[in-house]
Structures are given as structure tokens and as C-alpha cells.
Amino acid sequence: MTSLWPTQRFLPGIATLIGLTMSDSPLPAANYDEAKVPRYELPDSLTMQDGTPVESAKDWTEKRRPEVLELFRKHVYGRSPAKPSGLKFKVIQNDDTALGGQAIRREVLTTFSRKEATPEANLLIYLPKNTDGPVPTFLTINFDGNHTVHPDPGISITRSWVRNNKDWGIENNRADKRSRGSRRSRWAIEKILERGYALATIDYRDIDPDYDDSFANGVHRLYPKPKPDEWGSISAWAWGLSRCLDYLETDRDINAKKVAVMGHSRLGKTSLWAGAQDERFALVVSNDSGCGGAALSRREFGETVKRINTSFPHWFCDNFTKYNDRVNELPVDQHMLIGLAAPRPVYIASATGDPWADPNGEFLSGYHAGSVYELFGLKGVGVAQQPEADHPVGHHVGYHLRTGKHDVTDYDWEQYLNFADRHLK
Ligand code: GTR
């Protein structure tokens, strides 16, 4: 495999998105008809693999949770290495006059190995000013570089390899100032700061590239080539989020006990997996995460396990491909991923114009995760039917279906902030 941008990977994604299949693809057309969802039976979160019922929060925490986590590691995302001994953080800028004086902008250079050729990741943090004490924080992972989240000229421009983009003036796979702020609409930074939260964000490509390079680049290159039950890219990105949290724990302006992890789409799959594994995350947010994220795999609505493993062979562990044509044999489904966050709060968001991500399947996994929350005496989403658009619901599992396309908007952030206010403040 070469390390060039894999047009052949990208195209199937686009083709499937618009309901086409590639001429050489054995994949059936995606189903968007609720009436054609196959009959399925979900694995029970509260039954151990040997058939023993899980009857208490203690049973869950001590026995079933580790078992379910192991099943996801082995069959879906792949297991990741421990925190590396060579991990280092260096604050490379700290400006308390950012955003017209509203914020402190901080950047932290993270290196993952003592080797000179270590991958480097740049964590950008905006902190609100005039707060009393350490602040709760949203830790997010972004697609296009930290400098795209806001036009602020003080943000370092990503040095990661980037896809060419005429609109953003990117020609030689290098970003420059023309793409500053190009993803601003997704990040509601001023609103997050006004509400008393910090925002920390990292470019996912700083952790690991998003193409099938046989794991020769990014943090993967520091380790042996993954075995069939070892980390794909989603696991690597999630691992990177845990390393960011390692830094946040050392930052005295951050309340590291109140860090919400958030991501959109493939990075929503990533935030759910990060939150499932790393119990230091106090709250988990999945924005339009779809297949391999919040959506139930067994519904095969929109994107399916087979399709995602075909279009993005590097995202999951190799074992996951065994279930391409027998998704009913998976020992888990995604409601159990949500359950792994319990008793911590989780928010799941869908969009009406995003059938590819199966909005109802995203709701249903939140709904079915409720049994785990109940062990802790907590309520999950609190309703049995997907609510109508723009009517947020939920207790310890929050949910909304936003009107609009596959995206992150101010409306989504408004709900995440309200939910975080309820649970973190
Ligand atoms: C699509 C993919 C989805 C989703 C999305 C994204 O091509 O099929 O699973 O992750 O990309 O990340 O924007």
C-alpha cells in the first residue's frame, strides 16, 4: 500500500453516500426503508457470555463491563497499547488576549516517543477568562486542522498531510492561511466559552492518517503491525484522545474530572470508543456517528458493517470483517457501546438529512443502553420512540434529531452545553 490519499477509498464512500455502488463492488444498494429492516435480536447487555444474569451495578462493573469491553476490543475496534513511556507535552504558546480578550489560547505539542522521528500532535485549547478555578472542558477531535475551527490568526496551521481542496486553496497537500476558520460553523467556540467551558481540540491526522497505509504512519508506526484483534485507526484516534486527557490532567486551569469527549461522524465513533474505554471521561458526545458508532449494526439501515469495512478497511480491526455477511453473529451491538459509558452520561445526536447514519438506529441504541443505567438507579433516554425533529429528550442518555444535514451546528452545541450543565455543573 502506498501512503498517498486513496481515491479508491474515498470514492466508494461518496458513491455509497449517494446510493450508488462501484461497478466492481459486490455490495447491495443501501436500505433506507424502515419496513425492510431485517428482524433481529440484540445481544443482552445484562447476560454474561456464559448465560449468568447481571443483577447489580456491582456485577456490571466487576464482571460484565470488562467482558463487553473485551468483546469490542477483540471483534470491532481492536486493542490499543498502554500509555507510552516516552509521552511528552510542551506548552508552545499561551496567549491571554485571544478572541478579542475573551479567551486564553494555549497550544500543547505532544510527542509520543523519545525517538527523534516521533509523530507530533498539536492540542489547541481555548480557556474562558475570569472564571473561579479550573473549568469543565469539551475535548474534541477535528477533521481539517485546528486552524480551521476559528479564523483566529494565532492558531498554528496544521502540518499534517491534507487533501487538496480548491475552495481552501490547498494544492500541495499542505494547508496554509487560506483555510483558516473554514470549519468555524462546527465549533461554536464563543458560545462554549461564554457558558464557562474550555474547548480543547486536535487534528485527527496528527494522531493517525485516515487512509489505508498498512499502518505505516502516524502513531501506528511506533508499534508492530497490528494483529487481527489490534487497533485500527478509530482505536488509534481514541487512544490519542486519552493521551490528550493525560495532558489535561496536568493543566491546572482544566477540571480534568469534568472532561466531555465529543466527535462528529467517524470521529463520533471515535469519541464513543474513547469514552467506553477511558473512564476518566466524565461525559461522552456522539454527533451523527452512524455505523460503527451509535447506530445498531443489526438494522443494516444506510451504511452497513460490510460497506464500512469495504470502504474504510483501516478503521476497525481485521476481525470485524468476519461479520460482514453475518452481522447477527456479532457478540455485541452498538447499544452495548453506549452501555460501556454508564453510569456516566452520554449524548447521541442525529440529523434528519443523514439517513446514511441511521438516525433511528442511533436512537435505539441509546434506548437499549437504558438497562445498564437502570442498574445504577439512573434513567436513560426515558422514551421508547424516537422523538420528532428538534425535540431533545433524555436523562443520563440524551438524544436529539436535528433538522438538517450531516454536520455539527450551533443547535447541536446548544444541546450538548445544556446536557453538560445538567451533569457536570
Ligand atoms: C462516510 C462514512 C461514515 C461517516 C462519514 C464521516 O463516508 O461512510 O461512516 O463516518 O464518512 O466521517 O464523515
Side-chain angles (χ1 to χ4, degrees), residues 93 99 105 107 122 124 126 145-158 180-181 189:
Q93 63 149 295
L99 309 185
R105 181 195 335 98
E107 287 189 346
N122 195 5
L124 167 70
Y126 279 109
N146 297 347
H147 69 290
T148 66
V149 306
H150 197 282
D152 178 355
I155 306 175
S156 300
I157 291 175
T158 186
R180 281 196 183 285
I189 292 177

Side-chain angles (χ1 to χ4, degrees), residues 338-346 366 369-380 396-397:
I338 310 299
L340 285 174
R344 296 163 296 151
V346 178
S371 60
V372 182
Y373 284 86
E374 280 161 23
L375 289 176
F376 293 88
L378 301 170
K379 277 196 193 156
H396 262 66
V397 181

Side-chain angles (χ1 to χ4, degrees), residues 106-166:
R106 188 167 293 163
E107 287 189 346
V108 182
L109 184 72
T110 304
T111 47
F112 300 94
S113 149
R114 288 190 197 87
K115 291 180 197 151
E116 212 172 296
T118 169
E120 290 183 351
N122 195 5
L123 178 67
L124 167 70
I125 306 170
Y126 279 109
L127 291 149
K129 288 189 16 190
N130 309 322
T131 55
D132 14 295
V135 288
T137 300
F138 281 91
L139 172 63
T140 72
I141 177 160
N142 69 74
F143 278 90
D144 299 291
N146 297 347
H147 69 290
T148 66
V149 306
H150 197 282
D152 178 355
I155 306 175
S156 300
I157 291 175
T158 186
R159 296 198 295 181
S160 275
W161 185 97
V162 296
R163 191 151 35 100
N164 289 338
N165 180 326
K166 270 200 203 114

Side-chain angles (χ1 to χ4, degrees), residues 13-14 16-17 143 264-267 269 288-291 303 308 311-312 315 356 406:
I14 294 289
T16 47
L17 210 63
F143 278 90
H264 166 58
S265 202
R266 69 199 66 184
L267 302 178
K269 311 179 206 299
D288 304 358
S289 61
C291 181
E303 189 169 35
I308 206 166
S311 308
F312 306 102
W315 282 3
W356 184 241
H406 184 71

